[in-house]
Amino acid sequence: MRVRWEGVGFLTMVLFGAFPPKATCQEFDGPDGLFQVDGRSMVLHCSSGPPPTLVIDAGLGDSSEDWETIALGVSTQAAVCIYDRPGYGESEPGPLPRSPTANARDLRALLNVAGVQPPYVIAGHSLGGLNAQAFWRLFPSDVAGMILLDPTPTPALIQERFPDVWALVLADVESLEAEATEARGNPAVEAGRLDAMSSEYSETLRWAGLADGPNTFGNLPLLVVAAGRPRPESLGTSAVAFQEFWINENRLLAGRSTAGRVIVLD
């Protein structure tokens, strides 16, 4: 879902003991800049510190710039990295489609090239939560923990239980795809970013999730943070029921680790 949730930054800082910070960090003192991944430039900003390193994956349409203030605040207490997925910010576009698996592979390659060694605590917001889960599935030995901030539920369940919401989602996807197509002929528009967003959104709808069951993540430290406030301005009469469904799916997700827990924020 393309929803910005104010407050996740505050929560992240609280979780890492960095609010208020003991000192204000004004710049990144670890790997910082453009790095080559499969012949493409990707942006990475990191602070130094002992492992594990917190790696933040932004939601759909967001870039590292949206998380910079939060990352610098967290960096007073822990090593942290933010980055731009292909097509976002100064990162060059990557091959399509931009699935959670493709994004996870690019992130791991970027961290490797930049010399940021595992283990990592992977934090993903919304769509970034799908990327985080894909990262764990591909590189479980690299992940020391995971924070999922308002992660998107399995799309097939949305289609089955909320057909009216699903229709809105499909309309949103079609609109974004049309924007991306139109932008390709206009050099003044960030066509690469729109292509990435359009592909990511479409691929999100195909996400089948991980295997069901109480021990999907084993004993991985897992924190799932759900937004408790319905969004009637975009979902109409289904807003309350849909938010209850979203929260319940987040609870089930947290329950897939023996070390999982969930927090609901209003």
Side-chain angles (χ1 to χ4, degrees), residues 33-55:
L34 291 170
F35 298 87
Q36 291 296 306
V37 175
D38 293 334
R40 296 174 279 114
S41 294
M42 288 186 65
V43 171
L44 180 72
H45 307 292
C46 297
S47 69
S48 62
T53 298
L54 172 66
V55 180

Side-chain angles (χ1 to χ4, degrees), residues 102-157:
N103 285 332
R105 291 188 185 281
D106 273 349
L107 174 57
R108 183 62 185 89
L110 174 62
L111 293 170
N112 184 61
V113 168
V116 182
Q117 298 301 315
Y120 314 112
V121 173
I122 304 294
H125 173 219
S126 192
L127 174 139
L130 302 185
N131 296 339
Q133 293 173 66
F135 192 102
W136 174 85
R137 181 168 59 182
L138 291 169
F139 314 107
S141 63
D142 288 351
V143 181
M146 190 157 55
I147 302 172
L148 303 178
L149 303 169
D150 210 27
T152 304
T154 303
L157 295 179

Side-chain angles (χ1 to χ4, degrees), residues 61-73:
D62 289 344
S63 69
S64 60
E65 184 177 353
D66 295 292
W67 284 88
E68 183 173 330
T69 299
I70 301 305
L72 288 173

Side-chain angles (χ1 to χ4, degrees), residues 102-259:
N103 285 332
R105 291 188 185 281
D106 273 349
L107 174 57
R108 183 62 185 89
L110 174 62
L111 293 170
N112 184 61
V113 168
V116 182
Q117 298 301 315
Y120 314 112
V121 173
I122 304 294
H125 173 219
S126 192
L127 174 139
L130 302 185
N131 296 339
Q133 293 173 66
F135 192 102
W136 174 85
R137 181 168 59 182
L138 291 169
F139 314 107
S141 63
D142 288 351
V143 181
M146 190 157 55
I147 302 172
L148 303 178
L149 303 169
D150 210 27
T152 304
T154 303
L157 295 179
I158 301 176
Q159 181 179 16
E160 175 186 340
R161 302 181 190 181
F162 294 91
D164 54 337
V165 173
W166 186 253
L168 293 174
V169 170
L170 292 181
D172 204 11
V173 170
E174 291 177 2
S175 175
L176 190 53
E177 288 176 343
E179 286 184 55
T181 299
E182 183 178 355
R184 292 184 198 121
N186 185 352
V189 179
E190 295 179 295
R193 177 174 178 272
L194 288 173
D195 274 335
M197 288 177 60
S198 174
S199 181
E200 286 181 341
Y201 207 172
S202 296
E203 289 299 311
T204 295
L205 304 188
R206 300 183 178 92
W207 174 254
L210 301 172
D212 291 332
N215 296 316
T216 300
F217 298 111
N219 63 351
L220 178 75
L222 170 64
L223 176 63
V224 180
V225 183
R229 186 179 304 167
R231 306 177 178 99
E233 70 282 355
S234 59
L235 299 179
T237 57
S238 295
V240 173
F242 184 66
Q243 197 61 33
E244 291 176 352
F245 157 77
W246 190 298
I247 292 171
N248 186 59
E249 287 300 303
N250 281 186
R251 291 187 190 280
L252 292 174
L253 185 59
R256 293 183 181 179
S257 169
T258 58

